[in-house]
Amino acid sequence: MIELKNISLKYGEREILNNVSLTINDNTIKAILGPSGVGKSTILKLMLGLIKPNKGRVIVDGTDITHMTETSLYEIRRKMGMVFQGNALFDSMTISQNLGFFLRENMKLPESEVSRRVTEQIQFAGLEGYEEQLPESLSGGMRRRVAIGRALIFKPHMILFDEPTAGLDPVSSKKILSLISSLRKNNNLGAVIVTHILDDVFNVADSVAVLYKGEIIFDDVTDKLHEAQHPFIRSILSDKILEL
Amino acid sequence: MKSSPSSTGTFGLIPLLLTKLNREAKEFFFTMQEFFWFSLRAFLAIPKAKRYWRDVLDQAKICGADSLPIVLVSAISIGALLAIEVGNLLEDFGAKTMLGRSTSISVIRELGPLLMGLMLSARFGSRNGAELGAMQISEQIDALRAFGTDPIAKLVTPRLVAALIMFLPLTALSDFAGLNSAAYMAEHYHRLDPGIFWNSVYPRLAPKDFVVGFLKAPVFAIIITLVSSFNGFLAKGGTAGVGRSTIKGIVVSSGLVLIANFYVSKIVLENM
């Protein structure tokens, strides 16, 4: 379980988050919806301890990680997998090397186990035959699947997606969303999805938090979003995609 | 009625300027503090470098073998030019036989290491800045942290170790090439016997000349690697941001190389 308690964050004079509280339970898919530049990705980075809040606490599985040192955070971070918006694959490494890199780096596993897990993720992502290709030679959807495979290879409890369908064509988007749903069904894996696309929320999320002007203006099960009366939520429900 | 700049208007600017100055001073000291911790972490990670020995070898090739041509070209051209110009001056005083001595001191103490430093700042430093900046912009550095790898140990320390290893032989080769091109020009341009040239080189060179020259190599290696890598890590704002951070890395490291060149010479020559 990940908890954000009364988080406030400023970049210089600019206030990004103001007293934000969120709870993400295990084995659920939670969406964080909001317009671009509102601080959604920042929330994911706070959950991983990549940035520190000015106020408030971040608690992961009962451990307060707010003021943890970088070295102590490594263990916590391995409980979560992260899929970055631009995938963040290492462009000088092949797909297999990208998938196996962090296993070789951070876990003392025998090479046979690393190879087994890499093959498992290649099959899961449907990328057989592309093992020795560089990321640049793959399509956007394929690269996203490699990034998901890399996040899964540690067998995390929770996976964090930053705009998982942004920049993808409708077919690839659908594949990614069904992949996310299957992770929960087949692997009992919880997920946090940051998105500005309303359809993504309705397609996969159990609950949704809406972030607007640095504050959470809605946090409930996805179906109840239709009943929300906040003018911003009413406007996005009619437009479907947030262009603000 | 003509209006003149009112005293309140002029004085009104002062608080604004002071606020701006205060903000910039704070930013500067904050950046310096960040740079200090960044550098400290890079040094503390040196024992981990053997884990990344492949990266060390890759970087050694980039800053060593791949940089050798540009270092040699600059050393050869400056050695040749130095021999021509200094030879012309010495000829006026009838002291052309001192050409070997003057060029060897200039090349070994100052120009060999300095030119190598500036060339590597442009070549190795720009590569560091651009590569790490692109990794920062594409969130690859965040990915390393997110999956439990120390990005400084993985990306910066191998560069630092490689530079510390390779800058010394590069300095030696730069000196060798510079001196030989000077000797070539002395013989073919000034018609000076090679024996006279080299006789004025070897007996006159003192240990402090080599200490000055070779002490600069590790100093420049540290400055160039850390400054360019730090600026790469600070890159933000897309591809234009990578360009800005790369340029900043080169400008700052080149400036610091020039300043360090002066102080290393001054300190060593005053104390030896």
Side-chain angles (χ1 to χ4, degrees):
Chain A
M1 188 166 80
I2 305 172
E3 294 167 272
L4 300 187
K5 291 190 170 175
N6 310 106
I7 295 288
S8 294
L9 181 76
K10 275 185 175 183
Y11 285 150
E13 296 300 307
R14 192 172 151 232
E15 189 170 62
I16 307 293
L17 300 172
N18 179 23
N19 205 30
V20 166
S21 294
L22 271 179
T23 301
I24 293 110
N25 292 311
D26 291 341
N27 310 328
T28 60
I29 299 180
K30 176 135 199 161
I32 299 170
L33 181 72
S36 301
V38 78
K40 305 186 298 293
S41 305
T42 304
I43 289 182
L44 294 187
K45 289 182 178 174
L46 281 163
M47 288 174 181
L48 285 165
L50 292 177
I51 48 178
K52 309 268 183 211
N54 298 117
K55 276 185 201 165
R57 292 188 301 149
V58 182
I59 297 163
V60 178
D61 290 341
T63 310
D64 189 339
I65 67 160
T66 322
H67 301 294
M68 267 192 176
T69 61
E70 187 77 5
T71 322
S72 348
L73 276 166
Y74 291 153
E75 276 306 310
I76 300 285
R77 287 174 184 160
R78 281 177 214 148
K79 293 179 178 180
M80 297 176 269
M82 171 88 183
V83 179
F84 288 86
Q85 188 174 353
N87 304 314
L89 297 174
F90 301 116
D91 36 27
S92 58
M93 294 182 194
T94 65
I95 301 309
S96 298
Q97 287 168 341
N98 262 287
L99 287 168
F101 176 74
F102 289 110
L103 284 183
R104 292 188 180 96
E105 271 285 302
N106 302 323
M107 297 180 90
K108 286 168 184 159
L109 293 176
E111 190 54 34
S112 57
E113 175 62 12
V114 174
S115 301
R116 194 191 63 76
R117 286 202 196 183
V118 168
T119 310
E120 191 180 279
Q121 290 310 321
I122 292 270
Q123 285 167 353
F124 174 78
L127 290 166
E128 294 95 335
Y130 292 94
E131 293 90 339
E132 298 312 313
Q133 302 273 323
L134 291 173
E136 65 181 11
S137 61
L138 303 187
S139 69
M142 286 168 152
R143 282 200 290 263
R144 191 65 45 90
R145 298 206 302 268
V146 177
I148 294 173
R150 186 177 68 178
L152 288 172
I153 209 156
F154 275 119
K155 303 194 182 301
H157 304 162
M158 180 83 73
I159 187 157
L160 314 179
F161 292 93
D162 192 356
E163 302 278 7
T165 61
L168 298 183
D169 60 85
V171 178
S172 300
S173 295
K174 209 172 168 185
K175 275 187 187 170
I176 295 296
L177 291 175
S178 63
L179 196 69
I180 295 170
S181 295
S182 73
L183 288 175
R184 205 256 309 261
K185 271 185 208 148
N186 305 332
N187 303 42
N188 241 1
L189 197 66
V192 183
I193 298 169
V194 149
T195 183
H196 68 287
I197 302 170
L198 201 57
D199 280 344
D200 290 2
V201 177
F202 288 121
N203 279 328
V204 293
D206 302 311
S207 63
V208 56
V210 181
L211 189 64
Y212 180 63
K213 293 189 175 173
E215 292 179 12
I216 299 288
I217 55 169
F218 176 90
D219 186 7
D220 211 330
V221 292
T222 308
D223 292 340
K224 285 197 177 174
L225 191 64
H226 289 291
E227 297 161 24
Q229 293 306 312
H230 192 285
F232 175 72
I233 298 175
R234 299 308 319 160
S235 74
I236 59 170
L237 284 170
S238 56
D239 290 348
K240 295 274 185 185
I241 293 179
L242 284 68
E243 296 292 354
L244 299 171
Chain B
M1 202 169 91
K2 245 183 183 178
S3 64
S4 59
S6 69
S7 57
T8 41
T10 310
F11 285 121
L13 281 175
I14 293 172
L16 281 177
L17 284 172
L18 287 175
T19 311
K20 192 171 179 254
L21 197 67
N22 181 37
R23 192 175 59 237
E24 284 179 2
K26 269 186 192 168
E27 268 174 28
F28 174 77
F29 284 111
F30 180 70
T31 309
M32 285 298 101
Q33 184 190 333
E34 289 282 296
F35 180 67
F36 172 77
W37 289 116
F38 179 90
S39 306
L40 188 67
R41 284 177 61 194
F43 276 106
L44 290 176
I46 285 180
K48 289 184 198 166
K50 64 180 176 195
R51 187 178 173 189
Y52 298 114
W53 63 272
R54 276 180 197 277
D55 298 294
V56 174
L57 283 182
D58 284 346
Q59 293 304 324
K61 181 180 172 291
I62 290 164
C63 76
D66 294 354
S67 304
L68 190 59
I70 188 68
V71 169
L72 289 183
V73 166
S74 57
I76 289 167
S77 61
I78 206 73
L81 274 173
L82 199 66
I84 292 172
E85 296 293 349
V86 175
N88 286 338
L89 275 175
L90 290 174
E91 196 167 19
D92 292 344
F93 297 98
K96 218 158 71 171
T97 52
M98 301 304 287
L99 183 58
R101 183 189 178 189
S102 51
T103 49
S104 63
I105 285 177
S106 305
V107 167
I108 290 169
R109 277 190 194 171
E110 308 297 337
L111 292 173
L114 181 62
L115 275 172
M116 183 218 56
L118 292 174
M119 290 299 125
L120 286 173
S121 174
R123 197 185 182 283
F124 183 56
S126 62
R127 189 184 166 118
N128 284 346
E131 199 171 309
L132 298 176
M135 288 185 79
Q136 178 68 275
I137 295 297
S138 61
E139 296 182 306
Q140 290 177 50
I141 291 177
D142 275 345
L144 284 170
R145 293 176 64 209
F147 291 104
T149 295
D150 179 357
I152 292 180
K154 164 77 181 152
L155 300 172
V156 181
T157 304
R159 285 170 161 80
L160 181 63
V161 173
L164 283 168
I165 294 168
M166 296 311 293
F167 276 31
L168 271 172
L170 279 176
T171 305
L173 288 170
S174 173
D175 290 351
F176 178 80
L179 269 181
N180 277 284
S181 73
Y184 182 85
M185 293 314 289
E187 186 185 352
H188 293 93
Y189 184 85
H190 289 297
R191 303 288 165 207
L192 192 68
D193 186 79
I196 294 173
F197 180 90
W198 290 111
N199 268 335
S200 72
V201 172
Y202 291 123
R204 307 273 183 171
L205 283 174
K208 71 175 176 183
D209 298 324
F210 291 98
V211 173
V212 170
F214 286 94
L215 194 61
K216 286 173 183 173
V219 173
F220 294 168
I222 292 167
I223 289 172
I224 293 167
T225 312
L226 293 180
V227 171
S228 60
S229 302
F230 179 69
N231 278 287
F233 268 59
L234 289 187
K236 58 183 173 188
T239 46
V242 176
R244 275 194 299 274
S245 68
T246 306
I247 290 170
K248 196 174 172 188
I250 298 171
V251 171
V252 175
S253 63
S254 301
L256 289 176
V257 160
L258 289 164
I259 293 168
N261 185 59
F262 169 77
Y263 278 105
V264 171
S265 294
K266 187 173 183 290
I267 291 166
V268 174
L269 294 175
E270 278 177 0
N271 292 289
M272 275 189 84

mmCIF file of all heavy atoms in Angstrom, chain B residues 237-268:
data_model
loop_
_atom_site.group_PDB
_atom_site.id
_atom_site.type_symbol
_atom_site.label_atom_id
_atom_site.label_comp_id
_atom_site.label_asym_id
_atom_site.label_seq_id
_atom_site.Cartn_x
_atom_site.Cartn_y
_atom_site.Cartn_z
ATOM 1 N N GLY B 237 14.440 20.814 -20.192
ATOM 2 C CA GLY B 237 13.877 21.644 -21.254
ATOM 3 C C GLY B 237 14.133 21.101 -22.645
ATOM 4 O O GLY B 237 14.420 21.890 -23.559
ATOM 5 N N GLY B 238 14.052 19.793 -22.805
ATOM 6 C CA GLY B 238 14.126 19.188 -24.140
ATOM 7 C C GLY B 238 15.501 19.270 -24.778
ATOM 8 O O GLY B 238 16.503 19.502 -24.104
ATOM 9 N N THR B 239 15.511 19.126 -26.120
ATOM 10 C CA THR B 239 16.792 19.066 -26.822
ATOM 11 C C THR B 239 17.552 20.390 -26.710
ATOM 12 O O THR B 239 18.782 20.396 -26.643
ATOM 13 C CB THR B 239 16.581 18.731 -28.303
ATOM 14 O OG1 THR B 239 15.517 19.545 -28.793
ATOM 15 C CG2 THR B 239 16.226 17.280 -28.510
ATOM 16 N N ALA B 240 16.800 21.503 -26.682
ATOM 17 C CA ALA B 240 17.468 22.802 -26.523
ATOM 18 C C ALA B 240 18.177 22.845 -25.165
ATOM 19 O O ALA B 240 19.277 23.400 -25.045
ATOM 20 C CB ALA B 240 16.455 23.926 -26.625
ATOM 21 N N GLY B 241 17.559 22.241 -24.176
ATOM 22 C CA GLY B 241 18.152 22.197 -22.835
ATOM 23 C C GLY B 241 19.433 21.380 -22.821
ATOM 24 O O GLY B 241 20.391 21.738 -22.120
ATOM 25 N N VAL B 242 19.458 20.308 -23.598
ATOM 26 C CA VAL B 242 20.687 19.493 -23.684
ATOM 27 C C VAL B 242 21.803 20.340 -24.297
ATOM 28 O O VAL B 242 22.939 20.334 -23.817
ATOM 29 C CB VAL B 242 20.445 18.216 -24.525
ATOM 30 C CG1 VAL B 242 21.744 17.436 -24.693
ATOM 31 C CG2 VAL B 242 19.398 17.332 -23.888
ATOM 32 N N GLY B 243 21.441 21.102 -25.347
ATOM 33 C CA GLY B 243 22.425 21.987 -25.989
ATOM 34 C C GLY B 243 22.967 23.002 -24.994
ATOM 35 O O GLY B 243 24.183 23.198 -24.897
ATOM 36 N N ARG B 244 22.042 23.617 -24.240
ATOM 37 C CA ARG B 244 22.469 24.642 -23.264
ATOM 38 C C ARG B 244 23.389 24.043 -22.211
ATOM 39 O O ARG B 244 24.433 24.609 -21.883
ATOM 40 C CB ARG B 244 21.239 25.251 -22.575
ATOM 41 C CG ARG B 244 20.583 26.397 -23.337
ATOM 42 C CD ARG B 244 19.618 27.154 -22.437
ATOM 43 N NE ARG B 244 18.545 26.312 -21.937
ATOM 44 C CZ ARG B 244 17.408 26.068 -22.583
ATOM 45 N NH1 ARG B 244 17.208 26.619 -23.760
ATOM 46 N NH2 ARG B 244 16.479 25.293 -22.059
ATOM 47 N N SER B 245 23.020 22.880 -21.686
ATOM 48 C CA SER B 245 23.828 22.298 -20.604
ATOM 49 C C SER B 245 25.186 21.846 -21.141
ATOM 50 O O SER B 245 26.200 21.939 -20.453
ATOM 51 C CB SER B 245 23.096 21.134 -19.935
ATOM 52 O OG SER B 245 22.985 20.058 -20.811
ATOM 53 N N THR B 246 25.214 21.370 -22.397
ATOM 54 C CA THR B 246 26.491 20.943 -22.983
ATOM 55 C C THR B 246 27.422 22.133 -23.152
ATOM 56 O O THR B 246 28.602 22.087 -22.776
ATOM 57 C CB THR B 246 26.249 20.268 -24.356
ATOM 58 O OG1 THR B 246 25.302 19.223 -24.175
ATOM 59 C CG2 THR B 246 27.522 19.698 -24.930
ATOM 60 N N ILE B 247 26.864 23.219 -23.710
ATOM 61 C CA ILE B 247 27.678 24.424 -23.918
ATOM 62 C C ILE B 247 28.193 24.944 -22.578
ATOM 63 O O ILE B 247 29.367 25.276 -22.429
ATOM 64 C CB ILE B 247 26.855 25.521 -24.647
ATOM 65 C CG1 ILE B 247 26.609 25.094 -26.095
ATOM 66 C CG2 ILE B 247 27.570 26.868 -24.598
ATOM 67 C CD1 ILE B 247 25.621 25.958 -26.836
ATOM 68 N N LYS B 248 27.299 24.976 -21.584
ATOM 69 C CA LYS B 248 27.688 25.476 -20.266
ATOM 70 C C LYS B 248 28.833 24.618 -19.700
ATOM 71 O O LYS B 248 29.797 25.147 -19.143
ATOM 72 C CB LYS B 248 26.483 25.437 -19.329
ATOM 73 C CG LYS B 248 26.669 26.271 -18.095
ATOM 74 C CD LYS B 248 25.388 26.301 -17.297
ATOM 75 C CE LYS B 248 25.617 26.975 -15.959
ATOM 76 N NZ LYS B 248 24.462 26.858 -15.081
ATOM 77 N N GLY B 249 28.699 23.311 -19.888
ATOM 78 C CA GLY B 249 29.735 22.398 -19.397
ATOM 79 C C GLY B 249 31.082 22.693 -20.040
ATOM 80 O O GLY B 249 32.115 22.742 -19.362
ATOM 81 N N ILE B 250 31.074 22.920 -21.358
ATOM 82 C CA ILE B 250 32.347 23.170 -22.068
ATOM 83 C C ILE B 250 32.934 24.513 -21.649
ATOM 84 O O ILE B 250 34.130 24.619 -21.356
ATOM 85 C CB ILE B 250 32.133 23.152 -23.603
ATOM 86 C CG1 ILE B 250 31.643 21.777 -24.052
ATOM 87 C CG2 ILE B 250 33.426 23.491 -24.331
ATOM 88 C CD1 ILE B 250 31.198 21.747 -25.492
ATOM 89 N N VAL B 251 32.065 25.542 -21.612
ATOM 90 C CA VAL B 251 32.559 26.886 -21.285
ATOM 91 C C VAL B 251 33.140 26.904 -19.867
ATOM 92 O O VAL B 251 34.256 27.384 -19.646
ATOM 93 C CB VAL B 251 31.409 27.927 -21.429
ATOM 94 C CG1 VAL B 251 31.830 29.281 -20.875
ATOM 95 C CG2 VAL B 251 30.999 28.054 -22.884
ATOM 96 N N VAL B 252 32.380 26.352 -18.912
ATOM 97 C CA VAL B 252 32.843 26.391 -17.519
ATOM 98 C C VAL B 252 34.103 25.535 -17.347
ATOM 99 O O VAL B 252 35.069 25.971 -16.715
ATOM 100 C CB VAL B 252 31.727 25.930 -16.550
ATOM 101 C CG1 VAL B 252 32.236 25.839 -15.122
ATOM 102 C CG2 VAL B 252 30.538 26.887 -16.615
ATOM 103 N N SER B 253 34.105 24.335 -17.931
ATOM 104 C CA SER B 253 35.289 23.489 -17.727
ATOM 105 C C SER B 253 36.515 24.078 -18.426
ATOM 106 O O SER B 253 37.621 24.024 -17.880
ATOM 107 C CB SER B 253 35.034 22.034 -18.160
ATOM 108 O OG SER B 253 34.765 21.955 -19.520
ATOM 109 N N SER B 254 36.334 24.686 -19.611
ATOM 110 C CA SER B 254 37.482 25.302 -20.289
ATOM 111 C C SER B 254 38.024 26.458 -19.453
ATOM 112 O O SER B 254 39.244 26.609 -19.306
ATOM 113 C CB SER B 254 37.086 25.831 -21.675
ATOM 114 O OG SER B 254 36.604 24.784 -22.457
ATOM 115 N N GLY B 255 37.110 27.276 -18.919
ATOM 116 C CA GLY B 255 37.524 28.396 -18.074
ATOM 117 C C GLY B 255 38.280 27.902 -16.853
ATOM 118 O O GLY B 255 39.345 28.434 -16.502
ATOM 119 N N LEU B 256 37.744 26.855 -16.217
ATOM 120 C CA LEU B 256 38.399 26.324 -15.019
ATOM 121 C C LEU B 256 39.747 25.681 -15.346
ATOM 122 O O LEU B 256 40.681 25.744 -14.545
ATOM 123 C CB LEU B 256 37.479 25.313 -14.316
ATOM 124 C CG LEU B 256 36.249 25.917 -13.623
ATOM 125 C CD1 LEU B 256 35.367 24.817 -13.049
ATOM 126 C CD2 LEU B 256 36.657 26.883 -12.517
ATOM 127 N N VAL B 257 39.847 25.076 -16.529
ATOM 128 C CA VAL B 257 41.129 24.487 -16.962
ATOM 129 C C VAL B 257 42.186 25.600 -17.071
ATOM 130 O O VAL B 257 43.317 25.444 -16.599
ATOM 131 C CB VAL B 257 40.962 23.734 -18.302
ATOM 132 C CG1 VAL B 257 42.291 23.548 -19.016
ATOM 133 C CG2 VAL B 257 40.303 22.376 -18.073
ATOM 134 N N LEU B 258 41.789 26.747 -17.655
ATOM 135 C CA LEU B 258 42.738 27.859 -17.791
ATOM 136 C C LEU B 258 43.159 28.395 -16.417
ATOM 137 O O LEU B 258 44.337 28.667 -16.186
ATOM 138 C CB LEU B 258 42.104 28.984 -18.630
ATOM 139 C CG LEU B 258 41.940 28.662 -20.116
ATOM 140 C CD1 LEU B 258 40.986 29.636 -20.783
ATOM 141 C CD2 LEU B 258 43.290 28.697 -20.819
ATOM 142 N N ILE B 259 42.169 28.524 -15.528
ATOM 143 C CA ILE B 259 42.487 29.037 -14.180
ATOM 144 C C ILE B 259 43.371 28.030 -13.430
ATOM 145 O O ILE B 259 44.381 28.406 -12.825
ATOM 146 C CB ILE B 259 41.178 29.311 -13.392
ATOM 147 C CG1 ILE B 259 40.419 30.470 -14.055
ATOM 148 C CG2 ILE B 259 41.476 29.650 -11.928
ATOM 149 C CD1 ILE B 259 38.998 30.649 -13.552
ATOM 150 N N ALA B 260 43.000 26.750 -13.502
ATOM 151 C CA ALA B 260 43.779 25.720 -12.801
ATOM 152 C C ALA B 260 45.188 25.637 -13.362
ATOM 153 O O ALA B 260 46.156 25.442 -12.619
ATOM 154 C CB ALA B 260 43.082 24.363 -12.934
ATOM 155 N N ASN B 261 45.323 25.830 -14.677
ATOM 156 C CA ASN B 261 46.638 25.802 -15.317
ATOM 157 C C ASN B 261 47.555 26.843 -14.687
ATOM 158 O O ASN B 261 48.704 26.567 -14.343
ATOM 159 C CB ASN B 261 46.468 26.078 -16.814
ATOM 160 C CG ASN B 261 47.778 25.953 -17.568
ATOM 161 O OD1 ASN B 261 48.397 24.902 -17.548
ATOM 162 N ND2 ASN B 261 48.195 27.030 -18.203
ATOM 163 N N PHE B 262 47.010 28.046 -14.478
ATOM 164 C CA PHE B 262 47.791 29.127 -13.883
ATOM 165 C C PHE B 262 48.178 28.776 -12.439
ATOM 166 O O PHE B 262 49.348 28.886 -12.058
ATOM 167 C CB PHE B 262 46.967 30.425 -13.925
ATOM 168 C CG PHE B 262 47.571 31.542 -13.115
ATOM 169 C CD1 PHE B 262 48.662 32.249 -13.592
ATOM 170 C CD2 PHE B 262 47.058 31.873 -11.867
ATOM 171 C CE1 PHE B 262 49.233 33.265 -12.831
ATOM 172 C CE2 PHE B 262 47.622 32.886 -11.101
ATOM 173 C CZ PHE B 262 48.711 33.591 -11.589
ATOM 174 N N TYR B 263 47.196 28.332 -11.652
ATOM 175 C CA TYR B 263 47.469 28.097 -10.236
ATOM 176 C C TYR B 263 48.390 26.896 -9.993
ATOM 177 O O TYR B 263 49.237 26.949 -9.098
ATOM 178 C CB TYR B 263 46.165 27.973 -9.436
ATOM 179 C CG TYR B 263 45.623 29.333 -9.103
ATOM 180 C CD1 TYR B 263 44.536 29.851 -9.785
ATOM 181 C CD2 TYR B 263 46.240 30.132 -8.135
ATOM 182 C CE1 TYR B 263 44.058 31.124 -9.511
ATOM 183 C CE2 TYR B 263 45.772 31.404 -7.858
ATOM 184 C CZ TYR B 263 44.677 31.899 -8.539
ATOM 185 O OH TYR B 263 44.221 33.156 -8.266
ATOM 186 N N VAL B 264 48.237 25.844 -10.785
ATOM 187 C CA VAL B 264 49.130 24.692 -10.608
ATOM 188 C C VAL B 264 50.567 25.128 -10.895
ATOM 189 O O VAL B 264 51.489 24.835 -10.120
ATOM 190 C CB VAL B 264 48.713 23.499 -11.506
ATOM 191 C CG1 VAL B 264 49.773 22.399 -11.482
ATOM 192 C CG2 VAL B 264 47.373 22.930 -11.071
ATOM 193 N N SER B 265 50.760 25.866 -11.982
ATOM 194 C CA SER B 265 52.110 26.345 -12.326
ATOM 195 C C SER B 265 52.662 27.217 -11.204
ATOM 196 O O SER B 265 53.800 27.042 -10.762
ATOM 197 C CB SER B 265 52.078 27.171 -13.615
ATOM 198 O OG SER B 265 51.738 26.350 -14.686
ATOM 199 N N LYS B 266 51.820 28.156 -10.751
ATOM 200 C CA LYS B 266 52.271 29.113 -9.732
ATOM 201 C C LYS B 266 52.657 28.374 -8.441
ATOM 202 O O LYS B 266 53.742 28.589 -7.896
ATOM 203 C CB LYS B 266 51.137 30.101 -9.459
ATOM 204 C CG LYS B 266 51.517 31.260 -8.557
ATOM 205 C CD LYS B 266 50.361 32.256 -8.509
ATOM 206 C CE LYS B 266 50.732 33.471 -7.668
ATOM 207 N NZ LYS B 266 50.832 33.186 -6.252
ATOM 208 N N ILE B 267 51.788 27.488 -8.001
ATOM 209 C CA ILE B 267 52.025 26.806 -6.718
ATOM 210 C C ILE B 267 53.267 25.919 -6.805
ATOM 211 O O ILE B 267 54.137 25.962 -5.935
ATOM 212 C CB ILE B 267 50.775 25.987 -6.299
ATOM 213 C CG1 ILE B 267 49.640 26.946 -5.932
ATOM 214 C CG2 ILE B 267 51.082 25.062 -5.117
ATOM 215 C CD1 ILE B 267 48.282 26.299 -5.837
ATOM 216 N N VAL B 268 53.375 25.145 -7.879
ATOM 217 C CA VAL B 268 54.511 24.220 -7.984
ATOM 218 C C VAL B 268 55.826 24.987 -8.149
ATOM 219 O O VAL B 268 56.811 24.702 -7.473
ATOM 220 C CB VAL B 268 54.308 23.208 -9.140
ATOM 221 C CG1 VAL B 268 55.552 22.351 -9.323
ATOM 222 C CG2 VAL B 268 53.099 22.335 -8.887
#
